[in-house]
Amino acid sequence: MSVDVKAEAVIARPRSDVAEIVFDPKSEVIWIEGMKQVFPQSVGNLSKGSRLERRGIMAGLEYVSEVLVTNDEPEKMLEFSSPEPFEMKIRYNLDDVEGGTAIKIRIQSVGDVSRVAM
């Protein structure tokens, strides 16, 4: 079994305002459901090479994960790799649209997800 989840929303704020929240690891507990604690391993906003520890609950499973930002485009895109709660690739895209900012999030499994009840 594999996972490929996409979510989209339009936020009635300029892209720079949305990026200020989305690219700040300390804000993750505010906007990511199930995120309990985040411990950035570097200062400032997320960018390529940034590492953080995430603690949360996904699909009923508590996890602790060391997350690595593998790619970025300032105020537009972030890509992550995460080994827990299953090995995955995560991508955030922010685009200017009429009335605000479109945010697109995609989570794709890389390996086995059988231990996570989806």
Side-chain angles (χ1 to χ4, degrees), residues 14 19-21 26 35 39-40 55 76 83 106:
E20 194 173 308
I21 300 296
K26 295 175 282 183
M35 192 66 61
F39 301 99
R55 296 174 184 232
K76 288 195 62 97
R106 185 173 188 182

Side-chain angles (χ1 to χ4, degrees), residues 8-13 18 95-104:
E8 288 186 45
V10 174
I11 300 170
R13 302 289 299 173
V18 176
D95 294 303
D96 296 319
V97 295
E98 188 169 329
T101 302
I103 182 169
K104 298 176 185 176

Side-chain angles (χ1 to χ4, degrees), residues 7 13 15 24 26 28 32 37 47 52 54 56 58-59 68 72 79-80 100 103 109 112 118:
R13 302 289 299 173
R15 183 167 39 92
D24 180 355
K26 295 175 282 183
E28 289 190 347
I32 299 177
Q37 296 176 300
S47 61
L52 56 149
R54 288 179 171 171
M58 179 184 276
L68 171 66
D72 80 294
E79 288 181 338
F80 306 85
I103 182 169
S109 62
D112 181 33
M118 294 290 180

